[in-house]
Amino acid sequence: MPGVDPNMIANNVEPAYPTHPGSILKDEIEYRGISQRKLAEQMGMGYSVLNEILNGHRPLTEKTALMFEAALGVDAEPLIRLQVRYNMRMTRKDKSFMRKLDAIRKVAAML
C-alpha cells in the first residue's frame, strides 16, 4: 500500500528494541534459580563468556545455542533465529552502513 509504513501494518509490528537471545536465556536461568557460575562450569564455558551472552554483549553462536539446549533443554533453533533477527535489526540501525547500502543501490540501478 503506497504511503503506509510497513512497520505499522498488523502482524508486521517490530518491537522498539530488538531482543537478544541472551535476555531470554537469562530470564530462564533466573526463573530456575540456576547460578551463572554453576551453569558456565557445567557447560564447560568461561563465566565471563556466559555472562556476556546473557547480557547481550556477545552473540549466541550455533555451538553455544546447542550447549544451552543440552544444559537447559531449550530448543537451539529459535534462539539462533532470534540472534539473526537481532543482528539484522542492529545492522539496520547503523546509519553509516545504511548510507553505504544506499550508495550501492544507486550504482546497481545504473547497471
Side-chain angles (χ1 to χ4, degrees), residues 35-50 53 63-64 66-68 70-71:
S35 141
Q36 287 186 24
R37 288 195 188 281
K38 187 167 180 88
L39 181 61
E41 183 181 317
Q42 175 189 353
M43 293 172 66
M45 173 186 296
Y47 166 75
S48 62
V49 171
L50 176 70
I53 292 169
K63 287 181 181 179
T64 54
L66 289 168
M67 291 168 73
F68 279 108

Side-chain angles (χ1 to χ4, degrees), residues 18 86-102 105:
Y86 176 85
N87 294 349
M88 293 298 288
R89 295 278 314 277
M90 295 306 289
T91 300
R92 287 188 172 118
K93 288 183 175 207
D94 180 340
K95 292 183 187 329
S96 173
F97 183 72
M98 294 311 289
R99 283 192 296 273
K100 182 176 183 174
L101 290 183
D102 286 340
R105 287 184 187 104

Side-chain angles (χ1 to χ4, degrees), residues 5-16:
D5 182 350
N7 291 326
M8 297 305 291
I9 298 172
N11 298 327
N12 197 28
V13 177
E14 292 278 343

